[in-house]
């Protein structure tokens, strides 16, 4: 069933687990996530970023997901990942996305708050949930996100931001990176605890790829209900393509496509296993 983040994250919060938000950009990645959902019966968030509009249109994403999930009784949200343009957010809602992320993390606090509130007012009228980001997440290796400086989320600002915007989920910056970690991950669970003490709300961890299991579990115990995974899906598929092509330079594209679905599904299932209930 296609849902928004509200019921998904409320259930996850009540039962101490996190829902994986897996980045998709083509048929293979979408099918990989949906096959993992069908096999595990665990909910998932299909996340598509504005960066990938060269790969697929918003309507194509929605139509493909809806077609592939006919008759499926496990919950799936169609979420627009990191988007700075309010115009694209409105187009995604029109196209049938059930959730959107407005990323105003680079804006001054007051401007991020005002614009996020504008998005929330618009989206909620159409039963679409909104994620926003406060603080700034660092860039690691193999990432497709923009360069940025790391700024940890301030707990008091988080409280004010959630209360004044009405966002359904808040992405926090506590030391994870977009992409793969360069060196030892330094994630501040203490900061997450401080944010949770200031405001009790569903929090989102970006940069799930490569985050060690004990850190993921500590984050879930302390309010993270959605974890984003992108880079590892891409890396795993590309690595496999490299092997297949070097073994057989005449390999048919259809075989690569089948393998891409299989590999994407395997990464999704690996992370689903990490996001199980923690107490
Ligand atoms: Zn992100």
């Amino acid at each position: 069933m296609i849902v928004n983040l509200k019921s998904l994250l409320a259930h996850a919060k009540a039962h101490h687990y996190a829902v994986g938000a897996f980045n998709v950009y083509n048929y293979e990645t979408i099918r990989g996530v949906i096959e993992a959902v069908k096999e595990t019966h665990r909910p998932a968030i299909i996340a598509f970023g504005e960066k990938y509009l060269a790969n697929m249109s918003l309507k194509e994403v929605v139509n493909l997901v809806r077609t592939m999930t006919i008759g499926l009784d496990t919950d799936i949200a169609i979420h627009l990942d990191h988007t700075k343009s309010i115009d694209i957010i409105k187009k995604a809602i029109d196209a049938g996305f059930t959730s959107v992320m407005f990323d105003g993390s680079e804006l001054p606090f007051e401007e991020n708050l005002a614009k996020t509130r504008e998005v929330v007012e618009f989206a909620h009228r159409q039963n679409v949930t909104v994620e926003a980001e406060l603080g700034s997440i660092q860039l690691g290796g193999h990432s497709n996100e923009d360069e940025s400086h790391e700024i940890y989320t301030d707990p008091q600002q988080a409280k004010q931001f959630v209360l004044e915007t009405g966002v359904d989920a808040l992405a926090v910056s506590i030391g994870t990176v977009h992409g793969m970690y360069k060196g030892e991950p330094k994630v501040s669970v203490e900061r997450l605890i401080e944010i949770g003490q200031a405001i009790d709300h569903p929090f989102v961890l970006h940069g799930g790829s490569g985050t060690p299991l004990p850190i993921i579990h500590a984050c879930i115990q302390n309010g993270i209900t959605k974890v984003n995974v992108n880079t590892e899906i891409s890396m795993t598929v590309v690595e496999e393509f490299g092997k297949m092509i070097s073994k057989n330079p005449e390999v048919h594209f259809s075989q690569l496509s089948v393998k891409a679905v299989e590999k994407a599904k395997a990464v999704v299932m690996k992370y689903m296993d990490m996001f199980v209930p923690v107490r």
Side-chain angles (χ1 to χ4, degrees):
M1 213 165 51
I2 305 296
V3 298
N4 64 27
L5 292 190
K6 208 162 184 75
S7 59
L8 266 189
L9 300 190
H11 191 270
K13 200 163 166 32
H15 296 89
H16 312 278
Y17 67 96
V19 183
F22 303 100
N23 268 95
V24 300
Y25 13 80
N26 54 18
Y27 165 81
E28 287 82 358
T29 43
I30 291 177
R31 183 156 165 196
V33 178
I34 291 172
E35 285 200 358
V37 170
K38 285 181 175 169
E39 192 165 321
T40 60
H41 302 285
R42 290 193 186 135
I45 296 158
I46 299 227
F48 178 82
E50 65 176 338
K51 262 203 172 74
Y52 304 111
L53 281 169
N55 300 79
M56 290 182 91
S57 74
L58 297 163
K59 197 74 204 167
E60 283 164 349
V61 173
V62 171
N63 287 348
L64 197 51
V65 174
R66 287 203 174 268
T67 304
M68 284 185 185
T69 55
I70 290 171
L72 181 71
D73 55 7
T74 311
D75 288 343
I76 288 189
I78 311 175
H79 177 75
L80 185 71
D81 198 17
H82 286 282
T83 299
K84 293 174 179 151
S85 153
I86 293 184
D87 185 48
I88 291 175
I89 286 179
K90 289 183 174 171
K91 284 186 175 128
I93 293 173
D94 285 343
F97 277 68
T98 59
S99 183
V100 295
M101 176 187 186
F102 171 67
D103 182 358
S105 60
E106 280 171 21
L107 302 172
F109 178 73
E110 292 297 339
E111 197 180 343
N112 185 6
L113 193 148
K115 288 203 164 140
T116 301
R117 185 163 49 202
E118 182 189 333
V119 172
V120 169
E121 280 169 8
F122 178 81
H124 280 186
R125 279 202 295 271
Q126 314 198 46
N127 197 28
V128 168
T129 47
V130 179
E131 174 184 342
E133 181 173 319
L134 202 55
S136 185
I137 296 155
Q138 211 181 3
L139 196 70
H142 300 270
S143 174
N144 199 26
E145 298 301 332
D146 297 334
E147 189 70 63
S148 67
H149 295 288
E150 180 169 60
I151 303 163
Y152 277 19
T153 304
D154 177 86
Q156 286 313 314
Q157 279 192 342
K159 179 183 180 182
Q160 186 190 348
F161 191 88
V162 166
L163 293 177
E164 292 186 17
T165 59
V167 279
D168 302 282
L170 183 69
V172 293
S173 173
I174 55 169
T176 54
V177 303
H178 276 132
M180 300 308 284
Y181 293 95
K182 295 169 177 166
E184 200 59 27
K186 289 190 189 71
V187 178
S188 174
V189 178
E190 296 74 35
R191 178 55 66 102
L192 177 62
I193 292 169
E194 287 164 18
I195 299 167
Q197 283 164 348
I199 181 90
D200 185 27
H201 208 64
F203 299 124
V204 181
L205 192 70
H206 282 241
S209 295
T211 306
L213 187 62
I215 294 178
I216 297 265
H217 282 179
C219 289
I220 293 173
Q221 275 171 322
N222 290 290
I224 293 290
T225 56
K226 170 177 180 278
V227 182
N228 288 19
V229 179
N230 181 357
T231 311
E232 196 169 322
I233 299 173
S234 161
M235 275 178 66
T236 305
V237 172
V238 171
E239 196 184 302
E240 185 65 20
F241 279 7
K243 282 188 212 157
M244 288 173 80
I245 294 165
S246 64
K247 213 193 279 175
N248 175 18
E250 291 177 18
V251 63
H252 196 271
F253 185 44
S254 63
Q255 290 172 295
L256 293 175
S257 174
V258 167
K259 187 57 91 175
V261 172
E262 192 187 298
K263 288 286 164 181
K265 178 186 173 190
V267 176
V268 169
M269 286 179 63
K270 173 187 137 181
Y271 278 95
M272 281 176 158
D273 274 344
M274 293 170 74
F275 302 157
V276 291
V278 191
R279 278 180 190 277

